[in-house]
Amino acid sequence: MNSFVVADIGGTNARFALVTGERINGQPKLQNVKILPGADFPNFTDALSTYIESLDSIKPSAACIAIASPIEGDAINMTHLPWSFSIKAVQKQFGFKALEVMNDFNAVAIGASVALPENFELIKSGASFPFENRAIIGPGTGLGVSALTYCQQNRKWLPISGLGGHVNLPPVSPFEIEVIKSAMGKMEHVSAEVLISGSGLINLYRAVCKVEGAIATEMSPEELTQSALVGADRMCMRTLETFCAFLGTVAGNVALTFGAKGGVYIAGGIVPKMSEYLKNSEFNNRFSSKGVMSEYVNNIPVNLIVNPHIGLLGAAEFLTAKAFL
């Protein structure tokens, strides 16, 4: 039986799985799932070799790599890890008859198109139109943005590539103007990702502290989030409030940009840890506050993707559709 490797390479973790073509409830079955810390490996091929060696005698015949990087030609240079490689060289090194490389959020988008209802948690209600565009946004190590459009001809969802996490971050309130001004004093381009991501939480915290005249302390994004959720620190609480508001603003902008009447989906590793907080934050209000388009956006539902392997699922679905099995 033919088998292939799928990978979801983010800025923090490298996820791998084996797929044989078997499907469960309409989804590709992911086997031998492993999560490897990216920082433990000097390059991508070392991580891939480690995973394939763990499969014992199984020799995958093809692979699909979803990676947090723009895909432009043969050379891949990651945004949040010091990994670079040639697609052709990797294919030759591992003897793959086919090697597909795609943006990680394209894989997330495809995964969302075949995900089961239990893979989602409702954040904002609305009316989803089955075959209208869908948008995906996800704060993690960075901020991913993608979309899906339905192709009537072959009855499949097609991903729309983009780098929407790097757009300028728009302020909505006087306070947010001051926060962005503070961030501009530290960096040339204040993109959405700069403040709406894991490292962005720390950037945002420092900017909020400066605006509020408080002293920032050293902490991790996880420590900041936990401190805010339990109400232990006022500046952490203010930071998380602002984070959710910014995320709502940008997610609503993404919904308008893609005409996402099929729904907006939130992915990434941050929001699943604070979903109840997000529901009660300014997220929904900011998402829907779009002037003359407010009614249009207010009718769009928002769901959180709670399947941690959604990128692997999308990569498996993509390669299966390419008929390499």
Side-chain angles (χ1 to χ4, degrees):
M1 177 183 292
N2 287 334
S3 60
F4 62 81
V5 170
V6 291
D8 179 13
I9 313 297
T12 302
N13 292 315
R15 290 178 166 84
F16 295 92
L18 187 73
V19 182
T20 62
E22 186 178 351
R23 300 182 78 87
I24 299 178
N25 297 323
Q27 295 180 329
K29 181 180 178 181
L30 301 175
Q31 304 177 51
N32 299 87
V33 175
K34 291 190 182 301
I35 304 174
L36 304 177
D40 287 357
F41 300 89
N43 53 58
F44 166 68
T45 54
D46 283 344
L48 180 56
S49 293
T50 296
Y51 176 72
I52 291 178
E53 288 169 5
S54 75
L55 300 176
D56 296 324
S57 60
I58 299 174
K59 183 174 176 57
S61 60
C64 181
I65 311 300
I67 193 162
S69 169
I71 311 300
E72 298 175 336
D74 180 66
I76 302 298
N77 298 288
M78 286 197 67
T79 305
H80 295 287
L81 275 177
W83 287 2
S84 300
F85 62 89
S86 157
I87 298 174
K88 292 179 181 178
V90 170
Q91 182 174 355
K92 181 178 180 180
Q93 177 180 344
F94 292 91
F96 295 136
K97 68 179 181 181
L99 173 59
E100 296 287 333
V101 180
M102 64 195 304
N103 179 266
D104 63 331
F105 257 74
N106 273 9
V108 169
I110 296 171
S113 75
V114 296
L116 302 174
E118 56 263 34
N119 294 154
F120 304 109
E121 179 181 344
L122 185 67
I123 298 296
K124 175 188 169 297
S125 61
S128 176
F129 294 82
F131 300 111
E132 294 289 341
N133 291 348
R134 302 174 182 177
I136 298 89
I137 182 169
T141 304
L143 180 65
V145 174
S146 187
L148 289 165
T149 190
Y150 190 73
C151 178
Q152 294 285 354
Q153 185 175 2
N154 60 13
R155 298 181 180 180
K156 289 186 179 294
W157 288 97
L158 303 178
I160 301 172
S161 298
L163 295 169
H166 297 277
V167 300
N168 295 82
L169 182 61
V172 171
S173 68
F175 173 74
E176 290 179 357
I177 291 173
E178 293 304 314
V179 166
I180 291 177
K181 283 171 63 177
S182 175
M184 289 174 66
K186 299 289 185 180
M187 56 205 71
E188 181 178 349
H189 177 63
V190 181
S191 67
E193 179 176 279
V194 163
L195 299 183
I196 311 174
S197 63
S199 59
L201 263 172
I202 302 303
N203 294 333
L204 181 58
Y205 168 70
R206 290 169 179 159
V208 167
C209 285
K210 184 175 180 179
V211 172
E212 295 281 13
I215 298 175
T217 59
E218 291 298 320
M219 66 180 74
S220 68
E222 293 77 13
E223 290 170 336
L224 187 155
T225 301
Q226 186 58 31
S227 181
L229 291 177
V230 300
D233 183 274
R234 189 174 70 86
M235 287 299 98
C236 290
M237 294 167 63
R238 187 73 160 127
T239 298
L240 201 60
E241 291 169 3
T242 308
F243 178 91
C244 292
F246 273 140
L247 179 59
T249 295
V250 175
N253 288 351
V254 169
L256 280 176
T257 299
F258 289 112
K261 295 174 71 175
V264 170
Y265 297 86
I266 301 175
I270 295 177
V271 178
K273 301 169 185 176
M274 47 175 277
S275 61
E276 289 303 316
Y277 183 93
L278 186 73
K279 293 175 188 177
N280 295 300
S281 72
E282 274 292 294
F283 174 88
N284 286 347
N285 180 52
R286 290 295 188 83
F287 182 90
S288 300
S289 298
K290 300 300 177 188
V292 296
M293 287 291 107
S294 292
E295 184 175 351
Y296 177 95
V297 181
N298 190 48
N299 202 39
I300 294 175
V302 179
N303 279 279
L304 172 65
I305 300 172
V306 295
N307 182 339
H309 302 311
I310 196 73
L312 290 175
L313 187 65
E317 181 69 15
F318 179 80
L319 199 53
T320 302
K322 301 284 284 189
F324 288 129
L325 285 176

